[in-house]
Amino acid sequence: MNSEPHSSILSPNSTIGVLGGGQLGRMLALEARRMGYRILTWTGVDGEIGPAAMADEAIAKSFDDEAAFVAFVESVAAATVEFENIPRILLEQVADRMPLMPSAEAVAICQHREREKLFLEKKGFPCADFRIVDDAASLREGLDEIGSDTILKTAEFGYDGKGQRVTRPNEDAETVWAEFDTPRAVLEEKIALASELSVLVVRDGAGNCRSYDPAENFHRNHILDLSIVPARQPEALLAEAREVAIGVAEALEYTGVMAVEFFVDTSGRLLVNEIAPRPHNSGHHTLDACECSQFEQQLRVVAGLPIGGTGLLRPVVMWNLLGDLWPAPTQFPDWSPILETPGARLHLYGKAEARPGRKMGHATFLAETVEEVLAQVAKARVAFGLPTPE
Ligand SMILES: Nc1ncnc2c1ncn2[C@@H]1O[C@H](COP(=O)(O)OP(=O)(O)O)[C@@H](O)[C@H]1O
Ligand SMILES: [Mg+2]
């Protein structure tokens, strides 16, 4: 590991650096401000501040900007990431100068599907059968060996289903590989999904670790649509998911908040899909429905404070508000169907323009039972022309 977890406690008014300028950093900044900490965000994108506007300060420069690096490391007492695709070399350079949580190594594993899969396999965590592919011949071999439908995924920079394609056993490997146009990829068995779960874990520098109640996740067009907590799955399966997620955090010697995404197949097998080395979209409900939010936990770990409770206060559903709901890129929908629902709360990320598939905000719905919450969500979604899964 590059960075030793620091034992010192950062006092309020300390400045914490965040690499990445999206909504996760924004929600972290809002929690940090509430607790009296300062946030400096380095967005990694030239010019645009966007959701990072909630930080006390923002550096709107690309990650290869040397002056930005100097300004960042000279201004902050410790650093974290809100986005996993930060160049590894930059993470190592930051970690040489200050505590970085999570570590450069943990992020480097999770940002690269090949390293991630090999790590999971080596540590004995159950996952879908896979092969590493780097040319048409290895793709042909992988298709033959797995023998059923597969999903080909780029090793790097994939998100929200981007950089993925379903492959059939008899497809022409030369054509597929030429079209896919990536140096390395993971070919993965296509799982017959019964459901998808995710578990958030918080772990501090001393190894204290807690998991949250698993979320039951529904995707539309490969993008998270709804997270339901508590998940409507057998208790034993949920306990197993929490145990595996904590095991993954321990194997990574992880510091901070992370999420493990799981597949449950039609025979009830629990498989690790992927690991997010940061707060996660399926954990946004923790802001409104848990003892301590995932963003506050991240701040607490980076600041060397005791980790907080992970208990669920009330059943909750999180609904991702994508740009598709916007009548025009800068024209907001009428949120009344959400705002008029008792127990519902609206979170918007301050993005200047909506685009289809872009995560613009989320809404959380809380009630006494999951059934009641789902009925409220379904009713509000009808007004936006969206179906709701059973
Ligand atoms: N091997 C698989 N079998 C079945 N469905 C899959 C598989 N891999 C991905 N998916 C579906 O695609 C979604 C996105 O894939 P994922 O690997 O999590 O990538 P990302 O979230 O980075 O886009 C998953 O949540 C799942 O719904
Ligand atoms: Mg995923």
Side-chain angles (χ1 to χ4, degrees):
M1 296 281 143
N2 284 299
S3 61
E4 282 298 306
H6 62 124
S7 50
S8 60
I9 295 170
L10 301 182
S11 61
N13 293 338
S14 301
T15 302
I16 290 166
V18 177
L19 296 167
Q23 61 268 15
L24 300 174
R26 174 188 182 90
M27 290 183 266
L28 173 62
L30 288 166
E31 292 282 81
R33 282 179 168 240
R34 182 174 52 78
M35 293 180 72
Y37 287 84
R38 297 174 52 79
I39 295 284
L40 166 60
T41 291
W42 181 0
T43 64
V45 180
D46 276 320
E48 198 189 312
I49 294 206
M54 282 307 115
D56 297 84
E57 281 177 83
I59 303 175
K61 293 284 179 197
S62 68
F63 287 130
D64 56 10
D65 187 300
E66 284 173 26
F69 176 78
V70 172
F72 184 81
V73 296
E74 287 183 352
S75 310
V76 306
T80 186
V81 303
E82 67 98 51
F83 171 61
E84 61 261 44
N85 291 316
I86 311 283
R88 184 180 192 162
I89 178 85
L90 172 60
L91 295 169
E92 287 167 355
Q93 286 165 348
V94 169
D96 282 344
R97 303 283 293 265
M98 70 186 70
L100 172 68
M101 298 190 192
S103 71
E105 191 176 330
V107 178
I109 290 171
C110 304
Q111 73 184 186
H112 193 279
R113 279 192 204 280
E114 176 181 348
R115 287 198 285 267
E116 183 178 55
K117 287 283 186 196
L118 294 171
F119 163 83
L120 291 167
E121 183 178 58
K122 184 171 124 209
K123 300 288 180 180
F125 295 107
C127 45
D129 193 11
F130 71 93
R131 298 291 183 281
I132 306 299
V133 168
D134 62 0
D135 59 12
S138 52
L139 175 59
R140 181 69 267 154
E141 218 170 288
L143 292 171
D144 290 342
E145 285 177 14
I146 297 177
S148 56
D149 282 358
T150 44
I151 300 186
L152 187 61
K153 302 182 176 184
T154 55
E156 291 184 276
F157 310 122
Y159 70 99
D160 291 343
K162 293 189 177 67
Q164 296 194 14
R165 145 190 221 292
V166 175
T167 28
R168 317 272 173 209
N170 56 3
E171 271 191 84
D172 180 53
E174 293 283 349
T175 313
V176 171
W177 189 249
E179 280 172 9
F180 204 57
D181 192 26
T182 188
R184 300 183 81 77
V186 172
L187 181 71
E188 194 178 287
E189 165 197 11
K190 185 166 188 287
I191 301 297
L193 294 176
S195 60
E196 292 190 72
L197 299 175
S198 57
V199 177
L200 287 172
V201 175
V202 54
R203 187 170 180 275
D204 71 13
N208 299 302
C209 194
R210 286 187 186 140
S211 62
Y212 281 82
D213 285 276
E216 179 181 344
N217 299 324
F218 290 88
H219 297 80
R220 290 185 90 220
N221 305 320
H222 304 280
I223 304 174
L224 183 66
D225 180 18
L226 295 170
S227 291
I228 302 173
V229 194
R232 300 158 306 164
Q233 298 290 327
E235 277 307 318
L237 185 76
L238 300 180
E240 186 188 342
R242 292 176 82 145
E243 214 169 284
V244 171
I246 286 180
V248 171
E250 285 173 348
L252 286 168
E253 294 176 45
Y254 197 85
T255 44
V257 171
M258 52 167 264
V260 179
E261 295 178 13
F262 292 96
F263 298 139
V264 182
D265 76 5
T266 45
S267 60
R269 268 193 318 163
L270 182 73
L271 302 167
V272 175
N273 170 22
E274 59 174 354
I275 313 162
R278 49 170 171 76
H280 191 257
N281 196 167
S282 69
H284 290 354
H285 67 279
T286 61
L287 281 167
D288 300 315
C290 290
E291 289 168 342
C292 185
S293 78
Q294 60 171 350
F295 304 104
E296 178 173 339
Q297 300 279 24
Q298 184 82 339
L299 176 87
R300 288 193 190 203
V301 173
V302 177
L305 304 173
I307 60 176
T310 55
L312 181 70
L313 303 174
R314 289 175 88 193
V316 60
V317 172
M318 190 281 315
W319 165 15
N320 254 349
L321 303 173
L322 302 183
D324 312 58
L325 298 177
W326 269 238
T330 57
Q331 193 190 338
F332 287 82
D334 172 5
W335 298 118
S336 308
I338 295 172
L339 298 174
E340 284 167 359
T341 308
R345 303 190 76 195
L346 180 66
H347 300 248
L348 295 174
Y349 306 149
K351 296 185 183 180
E353 286 200 10
R355 287 192 297 273
R358 191 174 196 204
K359 291 173 180 170
M360 301 298 292
H362 69 269
T364 36
F365 289 68
L366 291 96
E368 291 312 311
T369 65
V370 172
E371 294 68 32
E372 200 183 323
V373 190
L374 269 172
Q376 291 179 341
V377 171
K379 188 170 164 224
R381 279 164 68 95
V382 167
F384 294 91
L386 288 175
T388 301
E390 293 282 294

